[in-house]
Amino acid sequence: FSCFFFFTYTPPTDNYTLSLHDALPIFTRIELATLVDRQFAAHGIDSAWREAVCGMVERVLATPLDQHGKICLRDIPAERRLVEMGFHYPIDPISGAGIARLLLTQGFARDEGVRRSLERLGFGEVQGFMRGFIDLVFESGGRFYLLDYKSNWLGGAAVQYGRAQMGQAMVRENYYLQYLFYTLALHRYLRNRIPGYRYETHFGAVIYLFLRGVDPDSDRNTGVYRERPDAALIAALDDYIGHPRGDGA
């Protein structure tokens, strides 16, 4: 059972793909343009997409990530970010039905779409290791945030990447499960490394960036899906997954 995901940028009218994981850790225009040119040449991508890709990345870097508009990726220094943080942790026997019961008990499934999604979790009992990579972990103001990039096509206008539309995509693609497993991984990682660690104090938020919809000039925060799972839910998931005091990453 793996929590490994890989996402790409695909122009909607073209068959070419460009890895976003390479582009988004770049924090200067010159580095970005050089990287895009190199990637285009390596994959035979039409150079006509260069400005579109560079513009998208620059919008992502300038878009506020928090509700107060104070956190932007362009302002996070290298020493406060960790790109593609790999993790693996052992899991006791778990099942789709068990995860569904846990989330329902913890009040996570407030949305009807989530409840229907949980009813469809049909995988049987599995045991072994959970393995994955978090696109970006960064620290700001003493809190740690996990961020994942999504290139899903929800429409051609930024307004089609509002909270409701992104929420539907989160449920449709089961991204809510992904971010819960990511949150647990980061929770365990921080618990093992920060003296006096407390989830309520040190964990910032889960941020999913729907890259095609981000717009730093919009007051609607389009393209930015933000959640902060309850501490009680993460503690229950930690216990259910097993080995709650084992290595987190």
Side-chain angles (χ1 to χ4, degrees), residues 71-137:
I71 302 176
C72 295
L73 285 180
R74 67 184 178 190
D75 299 325
I76 306 298
E79 64 270 18
R80 293 190 178 183
R81 63 181 191 262
L82 182 58
V83 177
E84 295 223 353
M85 187 189 92
F87 67 85
H88 68 277
Y89 49 79
I91 57 175
D92 284 344
I94 66 171
S95 67
I99 290 176
R101 283 194 301 271
L102 185 149
L103 297 185
L104 289 169
T105 300
Q106 291 295 322
F108 178 79
R110 302 183 184 94
D111 179 85
E112 179 62 28
V114 175
R115 288 193 292 272
R116 290 197 300 268
S117 176
L118 290 175
E119 292 173 357
R120 297 192 297 269
L121 284 182
F123 68 89
E125 188 174 278
V126 295
Q127 183 176 10
F129 284 85
M130 183 73 71
R131 178 177 182 268
F133 295 88
I134 301 173
D135 284 343
L136 183 67
V137 171

Coordinates of all heavy atoms in Angstrom, one line a residue, residues 71-137:
I71 N 2.0 34.8 3.9 CA 3.0 33.7 3.6 C 3.0 33.5 2.1 O 1.9 33.2 1.5 CB 2.6 32.4 4.3 CG1 2.6 32.6 5.8 CG2 3.6 31.3 3.9 CD1 2.2 31.3 6.6
C72 N 4.1 33.7 1.4 CA 4.3 33.4 0.0 C 5.5 32.5 -0.2 O 6.5 32.7 0.6 CB 4.4 34.6 -0.8 SG 3.0 35.7 -0.8
L73 N 5.5 31.6 -1.1 CA 6.6 30.8 -1.4 C 7.9 31.5 -1.7 O 9.0 31.1 -1.3 CB 6.3 29.8 -2.5 CG 5.4 28.6 -2.1 CD1 5.2 27.7 -3.4 CD2 6.0 27.8 -1.0
R74 N 7.8 32.7 -2.4 CA 8.9 33.4 -2.8 C 9.7 34.0 -1.6 O 10.9 34.4 -1.7 CB 8.6 34.6 -3.7 CG 7.7 35.6 -3.1 CD 7.3 36.7 -4.1 NE 6.4 37.7 -3.5 CZ 5.7 38.6 -4.2 NH1 5.8 38.7 -5.5 NH2 5.0 39.5 -3.5
D75 N 9.0 34.1 -0.4 CA 9.6 34.6 0.8 C 10.2 33.6 1.7 O 10.7 33.9 2.8 CB 8.6 35.5 1.5 CG 8.1 36.6 0.7 OD1 8.8 37.2 -0.1 OD2 6.8 37.0 0.8
I76 N 10.0 32.3 1.4 CA 10.5 31.2 2.2 C 12.0 30.9 1.9 O 12.3 30.4 0.8 CB 9.7 30.0 2.1 CG1 8.2 30.3 2.4 CG2 10.2 28.9 3.1 CD1 7.9 30.8 3.7
P77 N 12.9 31.2 2.7 CA 14.3 30.9 2.4 C 14.6 29.5 2.3 O 13.9 28.6 2.9 CB 15.1 31.6 3.6 CG 14.1 31.6 4.7 CD 12.8 31.8 4.1
A78 N 15.7 29.1 1.7 CA 16.1 27.7 1.4 C 16.2 26.9 2.7 O 15.8 25.7 2.8 CB 17.4 27.6 0.6
E79 N 16.7 27.6 3.8 CA 16.9 26.8 5.0 C 15.7 26.5 5.7 O 15.7 25.8 6.7 CB 17.9 27.6 5.9 CG 17.4 28.9 6.4 CD 17.8 30.1 5.5 OE1 18.1 29.8 4.3 OE2 17.7 31.3 5.9
R80 N 14.5 27.1 5.3 CA 13.3 26.8 5.9 C 12.3 26.0 5.1 O 11.1 25.9 5.3 CB 12.6 28.1 6.3 CG 13.3 28.9 7.4 CD 12.5 30.1 7.9 NE 13.2 30.8 8.9 CZ 12.7 31.8 9.6 NH1 11.5 32.3 9.3 NH2 13.4 32.4 10.6
R81 N 12.8 25.4 4.1 CA 12.0 24.5 3.2 C 12.7 23.2 2.9 O 13.9 23.1 2.9 CB 11.6 25.2 1.9 CG 12.8 25.5 1.0 CD 12.3 26.3 -0.3 NE 13.3 26.4 -1.3 CZ 14.0 27.4 -1.5 NH1 13.9 28.5 -0.7 NH2 14.9 27.5 -2.5
L82 N 11.9 22.2 2.8 CA 12.4 20.8 2.5 C 11.6 20.3 1.3 O 10.4 20.1 1.4 CB 12.3 19.9 3.7 CG 12.8 18.5 3.6 CD1 14.3 18.5 3.2 CD2 12.5 17.7 4.9
V83 N 12.3 20.1 0.2 CA 11.7 19.7 -1.1 C 11.6 18.2 -1.2 O 12.6 17.5 -1.0 CB 12.4 20.3 -2.3 CG1 11.8 19.8 -3.6 CG2 12.5 21.8 -2.2
E84 N 10.4 17.8 -1.6 CA 10.1 16.3 -1.7 C 10.6 15.5 -0.5 O 11.5 14.6 -0.7 CB 10.8 15.8 -3.0 CG 10.1 16.4 -4.3 CD 9.9 15.4 -5.4 OE1 10.3 14.2 -5.2 OE2 9.2 15.8 -6.3
M85 N 10.1 15.8 0.6 CA 10.5 15.1 1.8 C 9.9 13.6 1.7 O 8.7 13.4 1.7 CB 9.9 15.7 3.1 CG 10.4 15.1 4.4 SD 9.5 15.7 5.8 CE 8.2 14.5 6.0
G86 N 10.9 12.7 1.7 CA 10.5 11.3 1.6 C 10.2 10.8 3.0 O 10.7 11.2 4.0
F87 N 9.3 9.8 3.1 CA 8.9 9.2 4.4 C 8.5 7.8 4.2 O 8.1 7.4 3.1 CB 7.8 10.0 5.1 CG 6.5 9.9 4.4 CD1 5.6 8.9 4.6 CD2 6.1 10.9 3.5 CE1 4.4 8.8 4.0 CE2 4.8 10.8 2.8 CZ 4.0 9.8 3.1
H88 N 8.7 7.0 5.2 CA 8.1 5.7 5.3 C 7.9 5.4 6.8 O 8.7 5.7 7.6 CB 9.0 4.6 4.6 CG 10.3 4.4 5.3 ND1 11.4 5.1 5.1 CD2 10.6 3.4 6.1 CE1 12.4 4.6 5.8 NE2 11.9 3.6 6.5
Y89 N 6.8 4.7 7.0 CA 6.5 4.3 8.4 C 5.8 3.0 8.4 O 5.0 2.7 7.5 CB 5.8 5.4 9.2 CG 4.6 6.0 8.6 CD1 3.3 5.3 8.6 CD2 4.6 7.3 8.0 CE1 2.2 5.9 8.1 CE2 3.5 7.9 7.5 CZ 2.3 7.2 7.5 OH 1.2 7.8 7.0
P90 N 6.0 2.1 9.4 CA 5.3 0.8 9.4 C 3.8 1.0 9.7 O 3.4 2.0 10.4 CB 6.0 0.1 10.6 CG 6.6 1.2 11.4 CD 6.9 2.3 10.5
I91 N 3.0 0.1 9.2 CA 1.6 0.2 9.5 C 1.2 -1.2 10.0 O 1.5 -2.2 9.5 CB 0.8 0.6 8.3 CG1 1.0 -0.3 7.1 CG2 1.0 2.0 7.9 CD1 0.1 -0.1 5.9
D92 N 0.3 -1.2 11.0 CA -0.3 -2.4 11.5 C -1.4 -2.7 10.5 O -1.7 -1.9 9.6 CB -1.0 -2.1 12.9 CG 0.1 -2.1 14.0 OD1 1.2 -2.6 13.7 OD2 -0.2 -1.6 15.1
P93 N -2.0 -3.9 10.6 CA -3.1 -4.2 9.6 C -4.2 -3.1 9.6 O -4.8 -2.8 10.7 CB -3.7 -5.5 10.2 CG -2.5 -6.2 10.9 CD -1.8 -5.0 11.5
I94 N -4.4 -2.5 8.4 CA -5.5 -1.5 8.3 C -6.3 -1.9 7.1 O -5.9 -2.7 6.3 CB -4.9 -0.1 8.1 CG1 -4.1 0.0 6.8 CG2 -4.0 0.3 9.2 CD1 -3.7 1.4 6.4
S95 N -7.5 -1.3 7.0 CA -8.4 -1.6 5.9 C -9.2 -0.3 5.5 O -9.2 0.6 6.3 CB -9.4 -2.7 6.2 OG -10.2 -2.3 7.2
G96 N -9.8 -0.4 4.3 CA -10.6 0.8 3.9 C -11.7 1.0 4.9 O -12.1 2.1 5.2
A97 N -12.4 -0.1 5.3 CA -13.5 0.0 6.2 C -13.0 0.5 7.6 O -13.7 1.3 8.2 CB -14.1 -1.4 6.4
G98 N -11.8 0.2 8.0 CA -11.3 0.7 9.3 C -11.1 2.2 9.2 O -11.4 2.9 10.2
I99 N -10.5 2.6 8.1 CA -10.2 4.0 8.0 C -11.5 4.8 7.9 O -11.6 5.9 8.5 CB -9.3 4.3 6.7 CG1 -7.9 3.7 6.9 CG2 -9.3 5.8 6.4 CD1 -7.0 3.9 5.7
A100 N -12.5 4.3 7.2 CA -13.8 4.9 7.1 C -14.4 5.1 8.4 O -14.9 6.2 8.8 CB -14.7 4.2 6.1
R101 N -14.4 4.0 9.2 CA -15.0 4.1 10.6 C -14.3 5.2 11.4 O -14.9 5.9 12.2 CB -14.9 2.7 11.3 CG -15.9 1.7 10.8 CD -16.0 0.5 11.7 NE -14.7 -0.1 11.9 CZ -14.3 -1.1 11.1 NH1 -15.1 -1.6 10.1 NH2 -13.2 -1.7 11.3
L102 N -13.0 5.2 11.3 CA -12.2 6.1 12.1 C -12.6 7.6 11.8 O -12.8 8.4 12.6 CB -10.7 5.9 11.9 CG -9.7 6.8 12.8 CD1 -8.5 6.0 13.1 CD2 -9.4 8.1 12.0
L103 N -12.6 7.9 10.5 CA -12.9 9.2 10.0 C -14.3 9.6 10.4 O -14.6 10.8 10.7 CB -12.7 9.4 8.5 CG -11.2 9.1 8.0 CD1 -11.1 9.4 6.6 CD2 -10.2 10.0 8.8
L104 N -15.3 8.7 10.2 CA -16.6 9.0 10.6 C -16.8 9.2 12.1 O -17.5 10.2 12.5 CB -17.6 7.8 10.2 CG -17.8 7.7 8.7 CD1 -18.5 6.4 8.4 CD2 -18.6 8.9 8.1
T105 N -16.1 8.4 12.9 CA -16.1 8.6 14.3 C -15.6 9.9 14.8 O -16.0 10.6 15.7 CB -15.4 7.4 15.0 OG1 -16.0 6.2 14.7 CG2 -15.4 7.6 16.6
Q106 N -14.5 10.4 14.1 CA -13.9 11.6 14.4 C -14.5 12.9 13.8 O -14.1 14.0 14.0 CB -12.4 11.6 13.9 CG -11.5 10.6 14.7 CD -11.3 11.0 16.2 OE1 -11.2 12.2 16.5 NE2 -11.3 10.0 17.0
G107 N -15.7 12.6 13.1 CA -16.4 13.8 12.6 C -15.8 14.4 11.4 O -16.1 15.5 11.0
F108 N -14.9 13.6 10.7 CA -14.2 14.2 9.5 C -15.1 14.4 8.4 O -15.0 15.3 7.6 CB -13.0 13.3 9.2 CG -12.2 13.8 8.0 CD1 -11.3 14.8 8.1 CD2 -12.4 13.2 6.7 CE1 -10.6 15.2 7.0 CE2 -11.7 13.6 5.6 CZ -10.8 14.6 5.7
A109 N -16.0 13.4 8.2 CA -16.9 13.4 7.0 C -18.1 14.2 7.2 O -19.3 13.7 7.2 CB -17.3 11.9 6.7
R110 N -17.9 15.5 7.3 CA -19.1 16.4 7.4 C -19.8 16.6 6.1 O -20.9 17.0 6.0 CB -18.6 17.8 8.0 CG -17.9 17.7 9.4 CD -17.5 19.0 9.9 NE -16.8 18.9 11.2 CZ -15.5 18.9 11.3 NH1 -14.8 19.0 10.2 NH2 -14.9 18.8 12.5
D111 N -19.0 16.5 5.0 CA -19.5 16.7 3.7 C -20.1 15.4 3.1 O -19.5 14.3 3.3 CB -18.4 17.2 2.8 CG -18.8 17.4 1.4 OD1 -19.4 18.5 1.1 OD2 -18.7 16.5 0.5
E112 N -21.2 15.5 2.5 CA -21.9 14.3 1.9 C -21.0 13.6 0.9 O -21.0 12.3 0.8 CB -23.2 14.6 1.3 CG -24.0 13.5 0.6 CD -24.3 12.4 1.6 OE1 -24.5 12.7 2.8 OE2 -24.5 11.2 1.2
G113 N -20.3 14.4 0.1 CA -19.3 13.8 -0.9 C -18.3 12.9 -0.2 O -17.9 11.9 -0.7
V114 N -17.7 13.4 0.9 CA -16.7 12.6 1.6 C -17.3 11.4 2.2 O -16.7 10.3 2.1 CB -16.1 13.5 2.8 CG1 -15.1 12.6 3.6 CG2 -15.4 14.7 2.2
R115 N -18.6 11.4 2.7 CA -19.2 10.2 3.2 C -19.4 9.2 2.2 O -19.2 8.0 2.4 CB -20.5 10.6 3.9 CG -20.4 11.3 5.2 CD -21.7 11.4 6.0 NE -22.7 12.3 5.3 CZ -22.8 13.6 5.5 NH1 -22.0 14.2 6.4 NH2 -23.7 14.3 4.9
R116 N -19.8 9.6 1.0 CA -20.0 8.7 -0.1 C -18.7 8.1 -0.5 O -18.6 6.9 -0.9 CB -20.7 9.4 -1.3 CG -22.1 9.7 -1.1 CD -22.9 10.0 -2.4 NE -22.3 11.1 -3.1 CZ -22.6 12.4 -3.0 NH1 -23.7 12.7 -2.1 NH2 -22.1 13.3 -3.6
S117 N -17.6 8.9 -0.5 CA -16.3 8.4 -0.9 C -15.8 7.4 0.1 O -15.2 6.4 -0.3 CB -15.3 9.6 -0.9 OG -14.0 9.2 -1.2
L118 N -16.1 7.6 1.4 CA -15.6 6.7 2.4 C -16.4 5.3 2.2 O -15.8 4.3 2.5 CB -15.9 7.2 3.8 CG -15.0 8.4 4.2 CD1 -15.4 8.9 5.6 CD2 -13.5 8.0 4.3
E119 N -17.6 5.4 1.8 CA -18.3 4.1 1.6 C -17.7 3.3 0.4 O -17.9 2.1 0.4 CB -19.8 4.5 1.2 CG -20.6 5.1 2.4 CD -22.0 5.5 1.9 OE1 -22.3 5.4 0.7 OE2 -22.7 6.0 2.8
R120 N -16.9 4.0 -0.4 CA -16.3 3.2 -1.6 C -14.9 2.8 -1.3 O -14.3 2.2 -2.2 CB -16.3 4.1 -2.8 CG -17.7 4.5 -3.3 CD -17.7 5.2 -4.7 NE -16.9 6.4 -4.7 CZ -17.5 7.6 -4.5 NH1 -18.8 7.7 -4.2 NH2 -16.7 8.7 -4.5
L121 N -14.4 3.0 -0.1 CA -13.1 2.5 0.3 C -13.1 1.0 0.4 O -13.4 0.5 1.5 CB -12.6 3.2 1.6 CG -12.1 4.7 1.5 CD1 -11.6 5.1 2.8 CD2 -11.0 4.8 0.4
G122 N -12.8 0.3 -0.6 CA -13.0 -1.1 -0.6 C -11.8 -2.0 -0.5 O -11.9 -3.2 -0.6
F123 N -10.6 -1.4 -0.2 CA -9.4 -2.2 -0.1 C -9.5 -3.0 1.2 O -9.9 -2.6 2.2 CB -8.1 -1.4 -0.3 CG -7.8 -0.5 0.9 CD1 -7.1 -0.9 2.0 CD2 -8.2 0.8 0.8 CE1 -6.7 -0.1 3.0 CE2 -7.9 1.7 1.9 CZ -7.1 1.2 2.9
G124 N -9.0 -4.3 1.1 CA -9.0 -5.1 2.2 C -7.8 -4.9 3.2 O -7.1 -3.9 3.0
E125 N -7.6 -5.7 4.1 CA -6.6 -5.5 5.1 C -5.2 -5.6 4.5 O -4.9 -6.5 3.7 CB -6.7 -6.6 6.2 CG -5.8 -6.4 7.4 CD -6.1 -7.4 8.5 OE1 -7.0 -7.2 9.3 OE2 -5.3 -8.4 8.5
V126 N -4.4 -4.6 4.8 CA -3.0 -4.5 4.4 C -2.1 -4.2 5.5 O -2.5 -3.7 6.5 CB -2.8 -3.5 3.3 CG1 -3.6 -3.8 2.0 CG2 -3.2 -2.1 3.8
Q127 N -0.9 -4.6 5.4 CA 0.1 -4.4 6.5 C 1.5 -4.3 5.8 O 1.7 -4.9 4.8 CB 0.1 -5.6 7.4 CG 1.1 -5.4 8.6 CD 1.0 -6.5 9.6 OE1 0.4 -7.5 9.3 NE2 1.6 -6.4 10.8
G128 N 2.3 -3.4 6.4 CA 3.7 -3.3 5.8 C 4.2 -1.9 6.1 O 4.3 -1.5 7.3
F129 N 4.5 -1.1 5.0 CA 5.0 0.2 5.2 C 4.3 1.2 4.3 O 3.9 0.9 3.2 CB 6.5 0.3 4.8 CG 7.4 -0.3 5.9 CD1 7.6 -1.7 5.9 CD2 8.0 0.4 6.9 CE1 8.4 -2.3 6.9 CE2 8.8 -0.1 7.8 CZ 9.0 -1.5 7.8
M130 N 4.0 2.4 4.9 CA 3.5 3.5 4.1 C 4.7 4.3 3.6 O 5.6 4.7 4.4 CB 2.6 4.4 5.0 CG 2.0 5.6 4.3 SD 0.6 5.1 3.2 CE -0.6 4.6 4.4
R131 N 4.7 4.6 2.3 CA 5.9 5.3 1.7 C 5.4 6.4 0.8 O 4.4 6.2 0.1 CB 6.7 4.3 0.9 CG 7.9 4.9 0.2 CD 8.7 3.9 -0.5 NE 9.9 4.4 -1.2 CZ 9.9 4.9 -2.4 NH1 8.8 4.7 -3.2 NH2 11.0 5.4 -3.0
G132 N 6.0 7.5 0.9 CA 5.6 8.6 0.0 C 6.6 9.7 0.0 O 7.6 9.7 0.6
F133 N 6.2 10.8 -0.7 CA 7.0 12.0 -0.8 C 6.1 13.2 -0.8 O 5.1 13.3 -1.5 CB 7.8 12.0 -2.2 CG 8.8 11.0 -2.3 CD1 8.5 9.7 -2.8 CD2 10.1 11.2 -1.9 CE1 9.4 8.7 -2.9 CE2 11.1 10.2 -2.0 CZ 10.7 8.9 -2.5
I134 N 6.4 14.1 0.1 CA 5.6 15.4 0.2 C 6.3 16.4 -0.6 O 7.5 16.7 -0.4 CB 5.6 15.8 1.7 CG1 4.9 14.7 2.6 CG2 4.8 17.1 1.8 CD1 4.9 15.0 4.1
D135 N 5.6 17.0 -1.5 CA 6.2 18.0 -2.4 C 7.1 19.0 -1.8 O 8.2 19.3 -2.1 CB 5.2 18.7 -3.3 CG 4.6 17.7 -4.4 OD1 5.2 16.7 -4.7 OD2 3.5 18.1 -4.9
L136 N 6.5 19.6 -0.7 CA 7.2 20.7 0.0 C 6.8 20.8 1.4 O 5.6 20.8 1.7 CB 7.0 22.0 -0.7 CG 7.8 23.2 -0.1 CD1 9.3 23.1 -0.4 CD2 7.3 24.5 -0.8
V137 N 7.8 20.9 2.3 CA 7.5 21.2 3.7 C 8.3 22.5 4.0 O 9.4 22.6 3.6 CB 8.0 20.1 4.7 CG1 7.9 20.5 6.1 CG2 7.2 18.8 4.4

